Amino acid sequence: MKKKILCCAALLLATVLLLGFLQLLLMPKYMADKQEGALVGEYYRETTAHDLLFIGDCEVYECFTPPTLWEEYGVTSYIRGSAQQLPWQSYYLLEEMLKRETPKAVVFNVYALKYGTPQNEAYNRMTLDGMQLSREKLSAIRASMTEGESLLSYLLPLLRFHSRWDELSAEDWQYLFHRDTVSHNGYLMQTGILPKTSDREGVPLADYTLPATAMFYLEQMRLLCEEKGVALILVKAPTNSWRYYWYDEWDAQIADYAEANRLSYYNFIGLDGEIGLDWSTDTYDGGAHLNVYGAEKLTSYFGEILCRELGLTGHRENAEIAAVWEEKLDAYKQEREKGNTP
Amino acid sequence: MSFTSASFLLFAVLTLLLYYTLPKRWQWILLLGASYVFYFFAGAEYLLFILFTTAVTYLCGHLMQKRADAEDAFVEANRETLSKAERKEFRAAEKKKRFRILLMGLLLGFGVLAVVKYTSFVLSGISSIGQAFGAAPLRIPELLLPLGISFYTFQSMGYLIDVYRKTARAEKNPLRLALFVSYFPQLIQGPISRFGDLAPQLFSEHRFDGFRFRAGLGRVAWGYFKKLIVADTAMIAVKALVENKDGGFTGVYVLLLILLYSAQIYGDFTGGIDITIGFSELLGIRLAENFDRPFSSRSTKEYWRRWHITMGTWFTDYVFYPLSVTKSMQRFSKWSREKLGTAVGKRLPVYFATVTTWFLTGLWHGAGWNFIVWGLLNCLVILVSQELQPLYDRFNRHFPRLTASRAWGAWQALRTFLLMGLIRSLDCYRNVPTTFRMWASMLTDWNIGELFLGGLTSFGLSVSDWCVLLGGILLLALGSRLGKKRPVREWLAERPILLCAALCLLAVAILLFGAYGIGYDASQFIYNQF
């Protein structure tokens, strides 16, 4: 009898291990393709604290470069952004980050405030699957699920990705137990150039009121930062293509909110001259996002403002931090160089 | 709360834990509570309907029982004074009174079913006729169709008829009757149980039986395998073939649809029943079997003895036989024999009862002409086979070796399978003229070549999906073959290590190859809609 029980227990254990292995194998790795999906998880590899935390959607991880902030100002920063990162996802990610560290300021890009409801399962996955299991992750999942999604499938991703067994590639085996780092402290480098050719405006909307849910989470972010003694700075990246248009009416609402709550709000749209942006060379997708050259210009410009406003002096004198960051900067420059090589 | 949802699995585990830890006298109360919780999750508004049916069933049953007891007591008390004829007369008068109560119960029970299920169908029919004569179209109301209403109504009404016939005693405790009506594992897709079979098990105390528990676990897992791997994978193709029927899926694709839908409905319905019966076994309750390897049937009649058995026997016991022996039917029989001769005369009443039974069977499946035509076509095949029986007998006498061979048996099974599949496709297209048009295309569109030019992967199934589906079907066939004499799960239940290994393998196969989650249409069990 005892032998039978032991055999059954061993079988069950073997099954659980097999399922665990299958889960590791079948989950998308986001290494060669759709690298945005790997961004959120990379934060946990950080060994040093940061002066600044950027949060938001693609406009943060494509427009601000932490290595440039280090190189020019000695400021340490991290971008916690992913594709179509919704306001509540940003909030819960921020909550999770502020449990781990206390930066001087949090910079939130406001574009995603146009979303008031869960949008897309694939983007949800890219943001949420990378989060470590925590109360914040569970809350973020609950707030983000679209129809047909289940909490269980986030806790056991095998339930979601089981059907990938017939599309496994070499990448899935290669990155079974580890992942490469695809970003530079959350910045996803794009070295291509596709000039902006149109100044088309966005289509008119029936209602320009930013969704109450989005504004609720913005307020939650503000309260959280206030509680932790961290400054909250609102920004809007300079990109404004007709596909991802930032309406004046939205801008006015954010400006009013910032004023009412004594927050800084920087809308970089239209500041091309001051920043030095050239839309014929500084975008990789026709103006929807900046490439590395544009991002460096914007970061350089914004870095000065941040240092001035927050009184940041940098950490160049701290040998330990400097060593970590110089290594990051080298990796950044190497990739930039590689991208420049035809 | 679908059987395939995580919430059901959690609910089932909690129910089982409580079931075997609570004092045994509370087991049936726990089942009643669990049944209502289960139904509440399906839709709180549905509770009203099941409560109404339960109340009607309880009151009518109770009233009939009271009269029957009084009748028996009176006859017993006056056995000496009343003559046999007087006793008979008294019993007949009492039976009439009980019949009135029964009729009221049936009208109320079936009335609710008729209103929620058939109002739209009837009104659209009336509206169509009206429009043909220039009247304005009627506004068709969208009524709520409570989950499993056909199943629990039939089970309750069967109970009332049994009480009327005195083959069952009415349940005194309304809560116990409520459990009989709402017992959750079988609430939404049967089997349709009889009070005499189910009630004693529901209300008795159950000790944990390791063997039965293991066998039940095996059956539940097998049910999930059928549903999630075979039925839901086949469904992807069935859906695409039906939705794009006008996009070229005619001819050989109709044949493919027939085969795939057969796999789907078999996996879906028998899978659901396996989960139901298996879960009941975990509780120590044995439900009636609903299938007996139907696809190996050699004739339509045999097929219907082996497919959805409890529904077939319900219609036979409560519709066909009573209808055949009514006084008016006997008069009709006499009249037809006199006027049309013995050969025709003796057939007509049987035909009438058969057609009525199949018409109602079709209607039970759904409010639509496709279901009615489906029922009548089944009836036609059965009656024609019956008429041709002398011819078959002559053939059998002339070719005894051939008809006794395995090959002949296989041919008969294949013929029956295809014929049933063909008729069943009315359920897919949901429209009679379309179905007939698609059947005709099998004869006119010779497009078999398309299948080998990418056609097989043009309706949602990739090569790997085909491998999973065919592998699943092969396993089902193997399981059915091996379990001919004794179910494989019982054999495995005696060998816990092998059972554990089989369960682990099934779990891995289902989790990996099952057609569930995002990217697949959330698929309810087909019979939930009935």
Side-chain angles (χ1 to χ4, degrees):
Chain A
M1 188 63 189
K2 202 175 166 186
K3 198 179 159 191
K4 281 182 184 172
I5 293 172
L6 277 175
C7 274
C8 287
L11 274 168
L12 287 175
L13 183 68
T15 308
V16 171
L17 289 175
L18 175 64
L19 290 174
F21 170 80
L22 288 172
Q23 178 158 297
L24 285 176
L25 179 66
L26 293 168
M27 278 188 77
K29 309 299 183 292
Y30 304 118
M31 288 289 102
D33 190 27
K34 299 189 184 82
Q35 290 184 321
E36 299 89 331
L39 297 179
V40 167
E42 289 187 359
Y43 172 73
Y44 305 109
R45 293 182 208 167
E46 284 294 285
T47 51
T48 55
H50 308 98
D51 296 320
L52 297 168
L53 290 177
F54 289 80
I55 48 169
D57 55 6
C58 53
E59 292 197 352
V60 282
Y61 70 74
E62 295 292 26
C63 294
F64 301 97
T65 66
T68 306
L69 277 177
W70 170 259
E71 188 176 27
E72 295 190 10
Y73 306 101
V75 169
T76 58
S77 60
Y78 198 93
I79 298 173
R80 203 83 191 283
S82 62
Q84 206 185 67
Q85 186 168 298
L86 302 167
W88 40 95
Q89 294 171 342
S90 288
Y91 168 71
Y92 290 115
L93 282 168
L94 178 64
E95 202 178 9
E96 186 204 40
M97 286 190 290
L98 293 188
K99 268 187 180 173
R100 292 166 178 260
E101 58 179 313
T102 310
K104 297 269 188 318
V106 166
V107 178
F108 174 59
N109 187 75
V110 294
Y111 183 73
L113 289 173
K114 71 175 198 168
Y115 299 114
T117 52
Q119 297 290 310
N120 182 303
E121 193 259 346
Y123 287 131
N124 278 349
R125 284 284 169 184
M126 287 193 200
T127 306
L128 302 170
D129 278 341
M131 285 179 83
Q132 286 181 353
L133 187 59
S134 62
R135 190 185 59 78
E136 291 76 28
K137 176 168 179 162
L138 295 179
S139 304
I141 294 169
R142 283 200 197 93
S144 307
M145 282 190 297
T146 53
E147 205 186 329
E149 288 188 72
S150 69
L151 178 67
L152 192 63
S153 73
Y154 280 95
L155 301 178
L156 294 170
L158 176 67
L159 299 178
R160 166 63 183 89
F161 297 112
H162 64 100
S163 55
R164 284 192 73 240
W165 62 270
D166 61 345
E167 55 190 62
L168 289 176
S169 65
E171 183 186 89
D172 290 297
W173 294 99
Q174 189 185 345
Y175 295 104
L176 192 56
F177 299 113
H178 78 285
R179 299 282 193 281
D180 288 344
T181 302
V182 298
S183 79
H184 301 275
N185 270 42
Y187 170 68
L188 191 62
M189 188 184 290
Q190 301 289 347
T191 51
I193 296 173
L194 181 67
K196 185 178 179 182
T197 52
S198 158
D199 277 328
R200 214 169 121 188
E201 289 191 354
V203 289
L205 304 180
D207 182 7
Y208 290 92
T209 313
L210 288 167
T213 316
M215 294 305 285
F216 168 78
Y217 279 100
L218 174 61
E219 176 66 4
Q220 293 302 303
M221 280 186 241
R222 188 188 70 76
L223 292 172
L224 182 64
C225 288
E226 196 174 276
E227 184 195 321
K228 299 279 182 182
V230 178
L232 176 65
I233 297 169
L234 305 181
V235 294
K236 168 66 191 83
T239 49
N240 201 25
S241 79
W242 67 273
R243 281 188 298 151
Y244 308 105
Y245 199 71
W246 183 248
Y247 295 92
D248 291 342
E249 291 83 349
W250 291 351
D251 193 59
Q253 288 168 67
I254 298 300
D256 289 348
Y257 177 83
E259 195 185 341
N261 293 286
R262 280 185 270 171
L263 300 177
S264 300
Y265 171 45
Y266 299 99
N267 179 354
F268 297 113
I269 296 171
L271 300 182
D272 303 347
E274 285 176 49
I275 300 168
L277 285 176
D278 177 353
W279 290 103
S280 64
T281 57
D282 293 340
T283 168
Y284 71 91
D285 56 1
H289 303 92
L290 297 181
N291 58 19
V292 67
Y293 318 110
E296 283 174 355
K297 289 175 188 170
L298 176 65
T299 307
S300 178
Y301 176 80
F302 187 43
E304 198 185 325
I305 298 174
L306 287 170
C307 287
R308 196 174 57 237
E309 187 174 317
L310 300 168
L312 301 174
T313 52
H315 301 279
R316 287 189 215 282
E317 293 77 27
N318 185 324
E320 199 184 330
I321 294 176
V324 171
W325 275 88
E326 286 307 320
E327 201 179 318
K328 286 173 188 280
L329 190 60
D330 278 349
Y332 171 81
K333 284 185 171 167
Q334 273 176 32
E335 192 183 335
R336 190 179 191 276
E337 193 58 36
K338 217 160 67 181
N340 280 333
T341 313
Chain B
M1 206 184 324
S2 165
F3 280 175
T4 52
S5 66
S7 46
F8 174 75
L9 291 179
L10 185 68
F11 172 78
V13 170
L14 283 176
T15 306
L16 279 170
L17 280 174
L18 287 173
Y19 189 76
Y20 285 115
T21 48
L22 284 176
K24 292 189 174 46
R25 63 179 186 282
W26 292 357
Q27 282 177 329
W28 73 269
I29 298 171
L30 171 78
L31 284 185
L32 177 64
S35 298
Y36 271 79
V37 168
F38 178 84
Y39 208 58
F40 174 82
F41 277 108
E45 62 277 25
Y46 297 161
L47 283 173
L48 279 177
F49 293 90
I50 200 165
L51 282 170
F52 177 78
T53 304
T54 306
V56 166
T57 309
Y58 177 75
L59 286 173
C60 293
H62 183 68
L63 285 174
M64 282 193 287
Q65 192 61 58
K66 217 172 143 187
R67 291 215 76 93
D69 288 346
E71 172 196 326
D72 289 344
F74 181 82
V75 169
E76 196 53 41
N78 298 285
R79 188 164 287 280
E80 307 294 316
T81 52
L82 291 174
S83 68
K84 199 177 174 185
E86 283 171 327
R87 285 203 303 266
K88 202 177 166 186
E89 193 183 334
F90 174 73
R91 282 200 185 275
E94 278 301 309
K95 197 176 178 186
K96 262 189 182 171
K97 287 173 188 166
R98 284 207 318 277
F99 184 72
R100 277 188 212 125
I101 301 169
L102 171 70
L103 200 63
M104 189 178 72
L106 295 180
L107 280 175
L108 287 170
F110 285 125
V112 173
L113 179 66
V115 168
V116 296
K117 196 165 176 177
Y118 304 107
T119 302
S120 302
F121 174 61
V122 172
L123 285 179
S124 10
I126 294 170
S127 179
S128 303
I129 295 169
Q131 279 177 276
F133 290 98
L138 291 176
R139 181 176 288 176
I140 314 292
E142 278 187 24
L143 296 174
L144 194 72
L145 184 61
L147 196 67
I149 189 168
S150 299
F151 287 100
Y152 70 69
T153 302
F154 269 51
Q155 186 159 303
S156 311
M157 298 303 110
Y159 158 81
L160 277 187
I161 298 170
D162 286 347
V163 173
Y164 165 74
R165 288 175 177 170
K166 295 187 179 176
T167 52
R169 275 194 70 78
E171 175 55 55
K172 285 180 188 165
N173 187 334
L175 294 180
R176 287 187 171 211
L177 185 77
L179 174 58
F180 169 71
V181 177
S182 66
Y183 176 57
F184 75 91
Q186 60 161 42
L187 185 60
I188 48 176
Q189 58 181 343
I192 303 169
S193 296
R194 304 297 172 91
F195 187 75
D197 298 332
L198 182 60
Q201 297 190 72
L202 287 177
F203 311 135
S204 57
E205 297 177 357
H206 297 277
R207 282 174 184 280
F208 181 83
D209 176 343
F211 174 79
R212 289 254 61 85
F213 196 87
R214 289 194 295 273
L217 215 54
R219 188 150 187 183
V220 169
W222 191 235
Y224 279 113
F225 176 85
K226 285 177 174 177
K227 166 69 178 159
L228 291 169
I229 293 193
V230 176
D232 287 357
T233 306
M235 185 204 66
I236 299 168
V238 168
K239 209 172 162 217
L241 287 168
V242 172
E243 283 175 358
N244 301 308
K245 57 184 179 297
D246 299 321
F249 287 143
T250 54
V252 72
Y253 292 101
V254 181
L255 181 64
L256 261 181
L257 173 80
I258 288 168
L259 298 177
L260 286 164
Y261 188 58
S262 298
Q264 185 197 345
I265 198 160
Y266 180 82
D268 190 284
F269 196 14
T270 65
I273 291 293
D274 280 342
I275 296 169
T276 297
I277 295 181
F279 185 72
S280 290
E281 269 191 57
L282 298 179
L283 297 166
I285 294 165
R286 270 175 178 268
L287 293 180
E289 288 295 338
N290 220 18
F291 296 94
D292 177 18
R293 296 181 300 111
F295 286 166
S296 55
S297 306
R298 295 183 178 193
S299 68
T300 311
K301 212 168 181 179
E302 186 188 346
Y303 171 84
W304 279 109
R305 278 199 303 270
R306 299 166 72 162
W307 175 276
H308 207 343
I309 297 168
T310 56
M311 184 205 66
T313 51
W314 195 99
F315 273 103
T316 309
D317 293 349
Y318 299 123
V319 179
F320 181 78
Y321 287 142
L323 197 64
S324 306
V325 296
T326 53
K327 276 184 184 163
S328 41
M329 191 62 88
Q330 283 166 354
R331 279 199 298 273
F332 174 57
S333 176
K334 198 177 164 192
W335 174 86
S336 58
R337 276 168 202 253
E338 281 170 11
K339 301 286 178 191
L340 306 165
T342 319
V344 179
K346 73 175 182 188
R347 282 181 169 82
L348 272 186
V350 180
Y351 282 11
F352 180 77
T354 310
V355 171
T356 308
T357 304
W358 277 103
F359 173 80
L360 291 173
T361 305
L363 207 58
W364 177 87
H365 277 84
W369 284 107
N370 59 311
F371 289 114
I372 294 170
V373 172
W374 168 85
L376 294 177
L377 276 177
N378 272 294
C379 176
L380 182 73
V381 173
I382 289 170
L383 292 179
V384 168
S385 311
Q386 218 162 283
E387 286 306 316
L388 293 177
Q389 194 55 46
L391 206 66
Y392 295 153
D393 292 342
R394 267 170 56 195
F395 185 82
N396 291 347
R397 277 199 301 276
H398 275 85
F399 305 101
R401 285 179 66 183
L402 172 71
T403 53
S405 69
R406 280 187 165 199
W408 184 252
W411 150 248
Q412 284 181 309
L414 178 70
R415 179 198 61 184
T416 308
F417 170 75
L418 288 174
L419 188 59
M420 289 296 93
L422 185 80
I423 298 174
R424 204 184 293 119
S425 63
L426 277 157
D427 188 19
C428 298
Y429 294 113
R430 298 276 165 128
N431 179 290
V432 180
T434 304
T435 310
F436 287 170
R437 187 160 51 81
M438 300 313 274
W439 289 356
S441 78
M442 281 196 284
L443 302 172
T444 55
D445 296 359
W446 291 91
N447 53 356
I448 193 161
E450 279 182 29
L451 291 185
F452 306 101
L453 298 169
L456 277 172
T457 51
S458 64
F459 42 84
L461 291 186
S462 63
V463 174
S464 46
D465 290 332
W466 272 109
C467 291
V468 169
L469 179 61
L470 294 176
I473 292 172
L474 206 66
L475 258 179
L476 285 197
L478 194 70
S480 172
R481 184 86 193 154
L482 289 175
K484 209 170 169 182
K485 285 185 183 153
R486 194 189 179 199
V488 180
R489 65 184 174 280
E490 288 193 359
W491 184 82
L492 282 172
E494 286 168 355
R495 295 159 183 81
I497 297 174
L498 280 182
L499 177 73
C500 187
L503 289 177
C504 290
L505 274 175
L506 275 178
V508 172
I510 292 167
L511 285 173
L512 200 58
F513 303 122
Y516 64 88
I518 299 278
Y520 296 95
D521 277 342
S523 165
Q524 275 286 349
F525 284 88
I526 294 174
Y527 266 71
N528 285 9
Q529 65 188 298
F530 303 141

